[in-house]
Amino acid sequence: KYHHILAAYDGSEASVKALSHAVKIAENQQACRLSVAHVASRPAYTIASYGLVLPESYQEKWKEYEDALVQQATGQIEGLPYANVAVLKGHPATAILDYANDHACDLIVMGNRGLGALKEWMLGSVSHHVVQQARIPVLIVK
Ligand code: ATP
Ligand code: MG
Ligand code: MG
């Protein structure tokens, strides 16, 4: 039995599929927690570290985009009593692995590819890194 499943969600087609598998697995277990983690890639976070500031309107657009992502994910976990969406900051793979560690997750579910443009490899860099570093099972959905 799984106690706490972590689904990594970037809004990509594969991550939507991954989340629906995670929901299916969680639904079939007694009192299984499900966390959906989205690592925010808002450029404001990156650029702030260089001491630069983005125009307000640009930041607003990103906020709207990420709010919409969180809304979509929240829609997919409706009806699951022990589910939550977490918006994380940092390097996506590291943030996902740290969240899994800190919350004693026992399964990570994620897509094989994400929103990246280059598709020649089976795995994107985030799923590659997570599979390589995780100490718990990782279910890759494609
Ligand atoms: P790359 O990012 O290396 O250009 P890619 O975007 O095609 O390639 P990944 O980013 O590795 O591929 O995406 C694979 C899976 O990793 C996604 O389906 C999703 O489950 C997870 N993932 C990627 N980025 C994030 C993120 N920012 N937050 C949460 N999960 C993510
Ligand atoms: Mg990506
Ligand atoms: Mg990337």
Side-chain angles (χ1 to χ4, degrees), residues 92 115-116 125-126:
L115 297 168
S125 60
V126 177

Side-chain angles (χ1 to χ4, degrees), residues 2 4-6 100 105-110 130-131 134-140:
Y2 296 111
H4 190 171
I5 298 170
L6 175 58
C105 296
D106 47 8
L107 177 69
I108 297 172
V109 184
M110 65 197 305
V130 169
V131 166
R135 288 146 64 195
I136 56 173
V138 180
L139 174 61
I140 298 289

Side-chain angles (χ1 to χ4, degrees), residues 2 4 9 11 18 39 42 60 62 71 77-78 81 88 90 93 101-102 106 111 115 126 130-131 139-142:
Y2 296 111
H4 190 171
Y9 188 83
V39 187
R42 208 180 299 175
E60 266 307 305
W62 269 89
Q71 282 294 318
I77 59 173
E78 255 174 14
L88 312 175
N101 244 333
D102 295 347
D106 47 8
L115 297 168
V126 177
V130 169
V131 166
L139 174 61
I140 298 289
V141 178
K142 53 175 269 189

Side-chain angles (χ1 to χ4, degrees), residues 1 6 20 29 47 57 64 89 96 111 116 122 127 129 132:
K1 171 190 185 329
L6 175 58
S20 79
Q29 320 256 337
I47 282 187
S57 61
E64 277 170 29
K89 289 181 196 175
I96 291 162
M122 161 92 77
S127 41
H129 190 105
Q132 203 160 47

Side-chain angles (χ1 to χ4, degrees), residues 15-95:
S15 78
V16 170
K17 278 193 198 169
L19 177 51
S20 79
H21 278 273
V23 167
K24 238 188 273 182
I25 298 166
E27 276 172 351
N28 285 295
Q29 320 256 337
Q30 277 285 319
C32 179
R33 282 184 68 189
L34 172 63
S35 290
V36 183
H38 172 61
V39 187
S41 55
R42 208 180 299 175
Y45 295 144
T46 319
I47 282 187
S49 63
Y50 295 102
L52 300 172
V53 178
L54 282 173
E56 286 280 314
S57 61
Y58 196 73
Q59 294 196 45
E60 266 307 305
K61 283 275 167 261
W62 269 89
K63 197 183 161 348
E64 277 170 29
Y65 167 71
E66 282 186 338
D67 287 350
L69 271 188
V70 170
Q71 282 294 318
Q72 281 166 28
T74 305
Q76 282 204 66
I77 59 173
E78 255 174 14
L80 276 176
Y82 309 104
N84 67 286
V85 179
V87 179
L88 312 175
K89 289 181 196 175
H91 179 270
T94 310

